[in-house]
Amino acid sequence: MSQPHYAIEVEDIVKKFGEVLASNHVNFYVKKGEIHALLGENGAGKSTIMSMLSGIYKADSGVIRIHGNICRFRSPKEATELGIGMVHQNFRLVQTLTAIENIILGEKNNRWRGSSWMKKKKEEIEEIAERYGLRFPTTVPIWQLSVGEQQRVEIVKTLYRGADIIIFDEPTSVLTPGEAVQLFKTMKELKRNGKTMIITTHKLKEVMSVADHISVMRKGEMIAHLKREDTTVHEIAKLMVGRELTNGNEVMSHKNIGKPILEVNNLFVRSNHGMNALNNIDFDIHEHEIVGVAGVAGNGQKELAEVLTGLIPWNSGSVIYNQEFLSSPTVQELIDKGISHIPEDRMKSGLAGSLGIVDNLLIKTYRTNKRSKFGLLNKKSNQEWAKKLIELFDVRTNDLQSPVRQLSGGNQQKLLFAREVEQNPKLMIAVHPTQGLDVGATEAVHQMVVTLRNSGSGILLISEDLDEIMKLSDKILVLFNGRINGVVTREEADKDYIGQLMAGLTEKEGAVL
């Protein structure tokens, strides 16, 4: 029997992908006008539920009711017509079009788009933005907007199209702390206006600050429904992974910072557009030290990682590695010198998705005498070596030869760390190492980073997760517009202050750079 106070009722839903049971008789209920968090590990099944609610997948069996009516979506368009909108983690925006053009894209009954018609649409959109505190420049191309402004465009787009149920997928993963706070204010304003929201995220502290109710999935099953005031971050994390997690605040600085491994002086790097992506960068990394790099996406982090791993050259300045001046080094030369790399996109730049575990572990070492002889791979010994590595790094798989794209995100990342750490690197460049990972996989990656630091390596940790940066780093560089806008030690680390530096402020009083 349908309950009139529910906006969404998911009853006994089953969804299979081949032999994989992604949703196993799931029940999920969201009240009208509430903010509901749906949580779970990678592969728990929450994305499958969200995809069925937004019309991307069709359930094999079970019932979905929207506002009491049974719905069988055949496409995202049908979900939109029923008032369901989704704000994706990776924005669905055309970069060369303006905000208004993106919002009205695909609208029907618009054969004549004269100046008066466009003026009317502009007024409608700006009125929605103003009502919910979502202001942004409406007539400039999307690529000129900040990440936070682009997200506001996505939210207004769902509201303009009539959404009264909005799904937020990892909404704060690319925002500054200040932008995240503003988003939560917007969500609460939407709630006051009767909108219903579902949020999926791995940031449990944020869930506790904004959600009314919390549902937890594990291994395709719904295992708990909780009121926010009746639970804790610790209990939610335990429910998600099915075990106790270690205290995440136990990471301490190493007592004996060693000699410099990397010294970067007056570094200038130009982007593809001819602008300075990095402008007069100076910093160093020592043995037993994790140097964190904080900043909103697009402020030079990508170019910094690429220049230090040999993917792009620098235009001026100097890089000294292990007391040796580097001059236009290749990727292979830097690998041979002991620099490892955890790239931002593990499946695009780190792993070969169609190859198995053994081949992926061999990618950087297959030419060595240990791994091959006379141009032929040592198949038996390589398989034994791979088995030991996946046991050591707890990579969970039933088959060494299955394509690694079939592994969960957490297991893919642990496999990548296994390959890079096995080479005993002097320096590791780790870019967003836990992006998109659940709390259990994130804990495992953090332990690997700290263990590597404690063994004597230096680590450059680039992340948009400020909690992660503050937890792991011995010192923090804050990038803004390609410059280091501040350097903060572990003892000085303050989330609000670092957030101000990320936004371009140079002092706590609020001077703008």
Side-chain angles (χ1 to χ4, degrees), residues 26 92 130 190 203-204 232 236 284 291 419 498:
V26 169
R92 291 344 192 225
E130 183 71 28
L190 288 166
K203 298 181 180 181
L204 302 188
T232 64
I236 295 169
D284 49 40
V291 176
R419 186 185 71 204
I498 295 173

Side-chain angles (χ1 to χ4, degrees), residues 4 55 65 74 193 223 272 378 384 393 433:
R65 291 187 179 92
R74 290 175 293 182
N193 281 267
I223 62 167
N272 294 332
N378 300 325
E384 293 301 317
F393 286 85

Side-chain angles (χ1 to χ4, degrees), residues 381-416:
S381 64
N382 289 344
Q383 285 189 334
E384 293 301 317
W385 165 74
K387 285 179 183 178
K388 289 178 182 177
L389 275 182
I390 66 171
E391 288 174 9
L392 180 64
F393 286 85
D394 191 29
V395 180
R396 299 177 188 179
T397 179
N398 296 322
D399 186 357
L400 292 176
Q401 306 305 324
S402 295
V404 299
R405 65 168 175 264
Q406 296 178 2
L407 298 177
S408 70
N411 282 309
Q412 289 172 0
Q413 197 73 334
K414 286 189 282 186
L415 178 66
L416 187 52

Side-chain angles (χ1 to χ4, degrees), residues 37-273:
L38 179 60
L39 307 178
E41 288 189 284
N42 298 105
K46 59 186 186 298
S47 294
T48 302
I49 296 296
M50 295 302 95
S51 294
M52 285 189 280
L53 286 175
S54 57
I56 297 172
Y57 296 152
K58 184 179 178 181
D60 297 329
S61 64
V63 174
I64 294 175
R65 291 187 179 92
I66 304 298
H67 299 305
N69 300 312
I70 294 176
C71 299
R72 294 180 175 85
F73 303 129
R74 290 175 293 182
S75 69
K77 180 183 175 184
E78 290 188 1
T80 300
E81 290 171 349
L82 285 171
I84 300 175
M86 187 164 182
V87 179
H88 296 269
Q89 181 180 359
N90 299 313
F91 306 141
R92 291 344 192 225
L93 298 171
V94 181
Q95 294 292 307
T96 55
L97 298 182
T98 67
I100 288 179
E101 289 168 341
N102 270 277
I103 291 168
I104 65 174
L105 194 63
E107 188 171 342
K108 290 185 177 180
N109 302 321
N110 52 12
R111 293 182 180 179
W112 173 248
R113 291 192 176 192
S115 58
S116 60
W117 183 88
M118 186 61 78
K119 181 181 178 182
K120 181 182 177 183
K121 293 298 176 183
K122 182 175 182 292
E123 290 172 353
E124 288 178 20
I125 289 165
E126 289 179 345
E127 190 276 328
I128 294 172
E130 183 71 28
R131 188 192 318 163
Y132 295 105
L134 293 165
R135 289 182 293 273
F136 52 83
T138 57
T139 57
V140 300
I142 289 294
W143 67 267
Q144 293 184 9
L145 302 185
S146 70
V147 174
E149 288 171 331
Q150 291 185 36
Q151 186 180 71
R152 287 173 220 156
V153 174
E154 283 275 33
I155 298 171
V156 170
K157 184 171 70 173
T158 67
L159 295 169
Y160 175 79
R161 297 180 181 185
D164 58 13
I165 298 172
I166 305 174
I167 301 168
F168 290 88
D169 179 24
E170 296 285 347
T172 64
S173 62
V174 294
L175 302 182
T176 66
E179 288 173 328
V181 169
Q182 182 57 49
L183 173 64
F184 296 150
K185 288 180 181 177
T186 295
M187 292 176 75
K188 289 173 182 177
E189 182 62 30
L190 288 166
K191 176 184 170 181
R192 279 192 288 270
N193 281 267
K195 304 297 183 184
T196 303
M197 283 156 284
I198 304 173
I199 177 174
T200 65
T201 180
H202 293 117
K203 298 181 180 181
L204 302 188
K205 291 180 181 177
E206 294 180 354
V207 168
M208 297 300 288
S209 72
V210 74
D212 299 303
H213 285 86
I214 298 162
S215 295
V216 182
M217 294 187 70
R218 189 168 72 233
K219 296 181 179 178
E221 297 182 351
M222 189 68 71
I223 62 167
H225 297 287
L226 308 163
K227 288 184 177 180
R228 180 190 59 189
E229 59 268 26
D230 295 338
T231 189
T232 64
V233 168
H234 178 79
E235 181 186 4
I236 295 169
K238 184 179 177 181
L239 285 168
M240 287 171 63
V241 301
R243 60 181 173 84
E244 291 282 354
L245 295 175
T246 60
N247 186 345
N249 297 318
E250 293 176 352
V251 177
M252 300 294 291
S253 293
H254 198 277
K255 294 179 179 179
N256 301 309
I257 298 296
K259 64 184 180 181
I261 296 174
L262 183 74
E263 299 168 78
V264 175
N265 301 301
N266 302 318
L267 193 70
F268 284 83
V269 177
R270 288 193 181 88
S271 69
N272 294 332
H273 301 293

Side-chain angles (χ1 to χ4, degrees), residues 20 48 204 216 239 259 337 344 353 382 432 451-452 470 511:
V20 178
T48 302
L204 302 188
V216 182
L239 285 168
K259 64 184 180 181
K337 290 179 184 295
E344 177 178 359
N382 289 344
H432 309 317
T451 299
L452 188 62
M470 293 176 65

Side-chain angles (χ1 to χ4, degrees), residues 326-390:
L326 300 181
S327 177
S328 302
T330 65
V331 173
Q332 187 62 53
E333 287 171 346
L334 294 179
I335 291 171
D336 294 341
K337 290 179 184 295
I339 296 179
S340 65
H341 183 203
I342 305 296
E344 177 178 359
D345 188 330
R346 54 184 168 267
M347 289 310 299
K348 181 180 178 182
S349 307
L351 300 169
S354 60
L355 299 181
I357 285 176
V358 179
D359 289 337
N360 271 280
L361 289 172
L362 285 169
I363 281 174
K364 290 189 174 181
T365 57
Y366 69 92
R367 292 189 183 93
T368 63
N369 292 331
K370 270 189 175 182
R371 308 274 75 92
S372 63
K373 195 171 183 180
F374 305 121
L376 299 174
L377 292 172
N378 300 325
K379 187 174 181 180
K380 185 176 180 180
S381 64
N382 289 344
Q383 285 189 334
E384 293 301 317
W385 165 74
K387 285 179 183 178
K388 289 178 182 177
L389 275 182
I390 66 171

